[in-house]
Amino acid sequence: MCGIVGWIDWENDLTSQTSTLKQIADTLCHRGPDAQGEWLSRHAALAHRRLEVIDPANGGQPMLYQVGQRTYALTYNGELYNFRELKRELETRGYRFRTQSDTEVLLAAYAEWGEDCVQHFNGIFAFGLWDEQRQQLLLARDHLGVKPLYYAQRGNTILFGSELKALLAHPLIKAEVDVRGLVELFAFRHTPGSAIYRDIHELRPAHKAVCNHNGMRISRYWSLHSEPHTDDLPTTAEHIRTLLRDIVKRQLIADVPVVAMLSGGLDSSGLTALAAAEFKQEGKQLHTYSIDYVDSAQHFQGSSIRPSLDAPWVQRVSDYAGTMHHTVTVDTPELIENMLVPLHAYDLPGVGQGWASLYLLFKRMKQDAKVALSGESADEVFGGYPWFHSEAAFNAQTFPWMAEMATTRGSRHSRSLMAWLAPDVAQKVNPLEYMNQQYRSAIAEVPRLDGEGAREARMREIFYLNLTYFLPMLLDRKDLMSMATGFEVRVPFCDYRLVEYVWNIPWEMKTTGNIEKGILREALTGILPDDARKRKKSAYPTSQNPTYVNAVRDWTLEIVNDANAPAQSLMNTQVVRAVAEGKVPGLPDEATAFLCERVIQTNEWLKDYHVTLSV
């Protein structure tokens, strides 16, 4: 895993721009603390900041590859889990390799198949590949969008990078946000392809872009296809089990230590058990890690989304799988101290403690390893969230998680999450029509199955919305918080082969046993103990300690009372003060903390990034 940067200019000579290129790339040193490199030609400048995982000695980048008179240069972030098979195939076609890295395999794949090389990849990746003879750039991003890739065009110049900060460091790019950006930031979050800042874009998952002096051509290289599912229940469960074993085995490949995240929930527990079995075959013990909070048992209040504490289940699965477990316990002072880490990782206001606590977990894990497995995307792939099982969300003509929020938390609570904005700003940001427009666009993309019943068709829509609009937020969080500490996290449930197969499993079979993710539970029979396998889903834990809510309230009041605070231009001071002083009857602590976190991070964002707002 790494940080990548590229600067293409078809009109000007870039060979003298080494200093500027290094300054831009150095904004990503946290992503790649182990090595660095730059490569410049007349019209292309590529840079790389490396986290050494595969072939540390020989996998440096940007990597050059020559075939005859052709020269290719690559800056690449990610892992190809099938690089060994690809290497063998390419060797039969006459290619010879000087390294053991997947980077060289990617370059040879391009030499053989051109831009269609992405059709051959199984992995997580974002890369920029410059074809010197053609004077052409290929950008590509993995199937589910595990690795980020942003780009911007300014005249004859194209810039790209792993994070927004790399683009914002270039003299041509300004931190400008218009009304649409504010809608995305404060009300929607976010449309695929949007990057909030004006005229900066995110390359969508499963897309590639071919750029030359004639312009940019963006196309989709992979998509889900709807077709009848013909396997019976036992065959389906066995196929999922077989896929997961293969996926985990592939994703354990590394030349550095690999560990696993373990929350005691179904997803991480299943991956842990499979990985631990692989480790045992090699005579090794898997190390696992979980997050907890000081006095969590004392302050825990069960809810529909967090029905039980994780700790007992973590221990149950660790004992069963035979892992060496580590619990990372954090307290309010650490959460407050690291409140702004998500902002500076994301280059946009984040969500607060849900991101900061994950950063603290990864920071501790990095002391022992460089790579971990995580269970992200299982809920989107298999249907684990409450809104998959809610009639209100099923019937609502909007994004299901928003319908679920309005139902479970009340429309008053939902509105309060926007009420902190000043009336004139809220009027311009008014998300309803924008949200409806995005919903209609998303629904229009859903791959339909002819003859499918109304209920199955609607469930297919809900799955598609989760995979394309909800999952990106979690993958961004995972990538940015892990890479902020130079740590790679792999997500086996994002393997496109698994996603393709599960996509067509009927809803009734997905919920076999009348429980969420029933088919996954069935597939993990014999891999997990039955009690852990049947544990009801519990969301990622957050601190319920009142000291945390009080701390963010106090910080928010400092901003409210500072007439020069940048956020004053956006916020409804009266509302924010009432929330921070605890004078909004019935507003849960969770909602209070969320709103205060948003004010704190927005204020710091406007100040640190010198944002120009056009509203």
Side-chain angles (χ1 to χ4, degrees), residues 34 267 310 444 456 464 533:
D34 297 332
D267 314 329
D310 285 345
E456 282 291 338
Y464 190 83
R533 188 171 59 86

Side-chain angles (χ1 to χ4, degrees), residues 558-569 571 603 606-607:
E558 292 178 13
I559 295 171
V560 170
N561 293 328
D562 180 1
N564 296 317
Q568 292 279 356
S569 64
M571 69 183 182
N603 190 69
L606 292 170
K607 180 173 62 177

Side-chain angles (χ1 to χ4, degrees), residues 261-288:
M261 298 174 69
L262 175 60
S263 70
L266 178 69
D267 314 329
S268 65
S269 296
L271 296 181
T272 290
L274 290 168
E278 291 289 335
F279 268 57
K280 286 178 184 176
Q281 288 184 9
E282 298 180 12
K284 299 186 297 184
Q285 184 180 32
L286 178 68
H287 285 244
T288 52

Side-chain angles (χ1 to χ4, degrees), residues 197-242:
Y197 293 100
R198 178 186 285 168
D199 295 327
I200 300 179
H201 309 279
E202 172 191 62
L203 188 65
R204 289 189 64 175
H207 281 67
K208 61 183 178 181
V210 177
C211 318
N212 53 41
H213 66 278
N214 293 321
M216 177 182 290
R217 171 175 54 84
I218 299 176
S219 61
R220 189 168 194 160
Y221 66 83
W222 175 83
S223 60
L224 291 165
H225 296 283
S226 297
E227 55 190 37
H229 183 77
T230 57
D231 291 344
D232 61 13
L233 178 62
T235 304
T236 299
E238 179 58 33
H239 188 70
I240 292 170
R241 186 182 302 116
T242 300

Side-chain angles (χ1 to χ4, degrees), residues 15 27 32-33 50 52 148 166-167 183 275 310 321 335 341 359 394 410 466 490 493 514 528 543 586 610-611:
T15 53
T27 65
R50 187 181 182 207
E52 295 174 345
L167 274 65
V183 176
D310 285 345
L335 292 172
V341 169
Y359 165 76
F394 180 88
N466 277 271
R490 299 174 177 178
F493 287 109
N514 197 31
L528 288 175
S543 174
H610 307 288
V611 179

Side-chain angles (χ1 to χ4, degrees), residues 84-95 113 120:
R84 291 175 174 172
E85 296 97 314
L86 281 175
K87 185 176 182 179
R88 287 193 293 269
E89 179 179 354
L90 288 163
E91 284 174 335
T92 66
R93 295 169 180 256
Y95 291 86
W113 295 300
H120 298 261

Side-chain angles (χ1 to χ4, degrees), residues 317-355:
V317 175
S318 176
D319 290 343
Y320 182 86
T323 76
M324 177 65 71
H325 188 72
H326 312 262
T327 300
V328 180
T329 305
V330 300
D331 201 0
T332 292
E334 290 176 280
L335 292 172
I336 295 300
E337 181 182 349
N338 291 277
M339 166 73 76
L340 299 177
V341 169
L343 163 66
H344 294 118
Y346 193 31
D347 304 310
L348 293 164
V351 181
Q353 68 150 313
W355 290 47

Side-chain angles (χ1 to χ4, degrees), residues 420 556 560 571-581 595 599:
W420 72 277
T556 302
V560 170
M571 69 183 182
N572 184 325
T573 305
Q574 183 178 355
V575 169
V576 174
R577 183 184 298 278
V579 171
E581 292 179 346
L595 192 148
V599 171

